[in-house]
Amino acid sequence: MHITRRYFLQSTGALAVYCGINPLCTLADVGMTPADVKPVTKGKTFVAIFLRGGMDGLNFIVPFKDPGYLQLRRTIAIPAPGQDNGALDLDGFFGLHPRAAALAPLFKNGTAMALHAVGYDLNTRSHFEEQDTWETGVTGNTVASDGWLNRHLITSQGHGPVRAISIGNVLPRILRGKAQAFALSGISDLKLPGADNVDDVQMAAALEHAYCTPPREHRAAAQDLLAQTAQTTIDGIQFIKAKMATMVATTVEYPKTDIGRQLQQVAQLIKADIGLEVAEIDYGGWDTHGNQGGATTGQYGDLVQRLSEGLAAFVQDLGDRLNDTLVLTLSDFGRTAAENGTGGTDHGWANCMLAVGGGIATTSAGGIVKPVLSKWPGLAKEQLHQERDLLHTTDFRDVLGEVVSVHLGNPQIKTVLPSHDFKPVGLLKGALV
C-alpha cells in the first residue's frame, strides 16, 4: 500500500493552499508582526471533543425542575431524581442523564461543569454550516476562514515541537490553516498509511504528482509548501515516536470504545511532554431524529455512556496533570425542545457544553460547588426561540474566548475569534466575571 497524496495533504492541512485556494490567516492579514507573537502559558493543554450531528443537551443536563420539560418530552424525558432511572441531581434544578453516572463524581468534586443555553443568534440548523461556524469561530462567510484553533496557533508561540494533534484520519476544519497541526489515526501506528519503509526520497517521489495540480502561477510556491510540510511532518512523527517509545503504559482501564481509545491516546501524548497544546477528537452519531430513547433505551443513552466512561478514565489517567488540562465539548446545535413523532428530536438552537478540568471555576468564594453555569431562559412556549427551541443566553464565542485567553494564555482573542464583542462567562478560574 502506497502513501496517498490526498491523505498527506489533508492530514497536514496543506490541501487548500496546494490547490491554489489560499484563504488562510497570516500575521500580516491581521495586522500582526512576529514581534507581536507571545508565548502561551506553558504546560497547558486544551482538548476539544466535537459531538458531530447535534447533541441533545436537554437530555444530557436535564432541567427536571422546569415544568415545560416533561410536557414537551412525554416519551423520551429523563425522570426526576428519586424516580426509577431518574436523573442524577446536580443542583436541585438540573440533573445528569443516569447513563452519565461516571461523570457524577467529577461534578461533585468540582472537576466538571456544564454550561447550558449556549449558542448564537444566526443558527441555520444546517449540519454543514453550523459545524463550520463552530470550527471557524466566524459567522456568515465561513468558506473564507481557517479554524479558530489554527488561528490561535499562528498568533502565539508554543513550548514544544508538536503543538496540535487530531486523533483521526483527516485534519478537522477547526485545526486547518497555516500553522502546523497533525492528524494521526493512532499513536500505536505513527506513520502515514503504508509508509513502513518510506524514507525522505520516497516521500518526495510520492508527493511529486499531487492530487490536484496547482495553477502555473502558484506552482513554485506550492512545491515549496509541500517540501516544507513533508519535512515537518516527517520530523514531527519521528519526534513523537521517539518520545512514546520511552513511556510506561498506563494502568488505567479505559472502555473499549472508539472514544475511549482516542482519549487514552490524548492522555499518552499529554504525558509524553511533546509540547502538546491542542488536541481534537470527533465523536459522531448524535443526529437523533428517531428512536432517541430516554433513560435506559435508545442510541442516545449509549453515546452518553461511552463519552462519560471515556472521560472518567481520562481524568483518572492524567492525575495531577488534569490541573493544566481543559476538555470542552462542542456540537453543531441543540435539538428541538419537544420530541417529534418518531421518538426523536430535530435540529434545534441552544445547547449545553461539558467542561472537565482542573482550572474550572466551579467553587464560589463561599466554597459552594456550582455544577451548571447558565442563565436559564425557560421552556414555556413563550420562552422558547420561535416557540420550538431552547433560547441561547450565552454566546459560544464567549466561552471559546475564555478558553483562548485564560486557559491557553493567548491575548489575541479578537484575532482568533474576530468580529465579536466578548462578554465574561466565568467558566475558568481567573476569568473576569
Side-chain angles (χ1 to χ4, degrees), residues 375-395:
K375 300 174 183 176
W376 187 246
L379 294 176
K381 183 176 181 180
E382 66 275 9
Q383 295 172 320
L384 297 175
H385 173 71
Q386 299 178 346
E387 299 187 347
R388 60 172 283 179
D389 305 304
L390 178 67
L391 182 69
H392 81 279
T393 56
T394 297
D395 193 292

Side-chain angles (χ1 to χ4, degrees), residues 4-80:
T4 65
R5 295 172 291 278
R6 184 174 183 82
Y7 176 89
F8 176 81
L9 295 169
Q10 287 180 323
S11 67
T12 57
L15 181 60
V17 181
Y18 184 70
C19 294
I21 305 166
N22 189 8
L24 307 180
C25 167
T26 66
L27 291 177
D29 293 335
V30 295
M32 292 178 64
T33 68
D36 299 320
V37 178
K38 305 300 181 184
V40 294
T41 306
K42 189 173 183 180
K44 298 292 185 180
T45 305
F46 171 61
V47 182
I49 303 179
F50 207 110
L51 308 178
R52 305 267 175 195
M55 188 268 288
D56 179 22
L58 288 173
N59 268 20
F60 186 39
I61 304 298
V62 183
F64 64 87
K65 275 291 187 180
D66 191 311
Y69 176 70
L70 288 177
Q71 296 171 13
L72 292 165
R73 300 186 165 209
R74 296 193 179 276
T75 69
I76 67 168
I78 307 301

Side-chain angles (χ1 to χ4, degrees), residues 21 52-53 85 160 219 290 297 299 313 340:
I21 305 166
R52 305 267 175 195
N85 300 310
R219 199 160 294 167
T297 61
Q299 57 177 320
N340 60 28

Side-chain angles (χ1 to χ4, degrees), residues 225-279:
L225 171 71
L226 282 175
Q228 297 168 13
T229 306
Q231 190 57 55
T232 53
T233 299
I234 293 168
D235 292 346
I237 289 175
Q238 293 300 326
F239 178 80
I240 298 170
K241 286 174 71 174
K243 276 286 189 179
M244 300 308 295
T246 64
M247 286 194 64
V248 177
T250 181
T251 58
V252 173
E253 186 174 351
Y254 280 80
K256 300 187 185 308
T257 59
D258 287 344
I259 185 68
R261 175 186 61 82
Q262 290 169 303
L263 285 165
Q264 181 179 13
Q265 292 171 346
V266 171
Q268 288 178 278
L269 291 166
I270 291 172
K271 294 189 292 183
D273 293 323
I274 60 175
L276 184 65
E277 190 176 314
V278 172

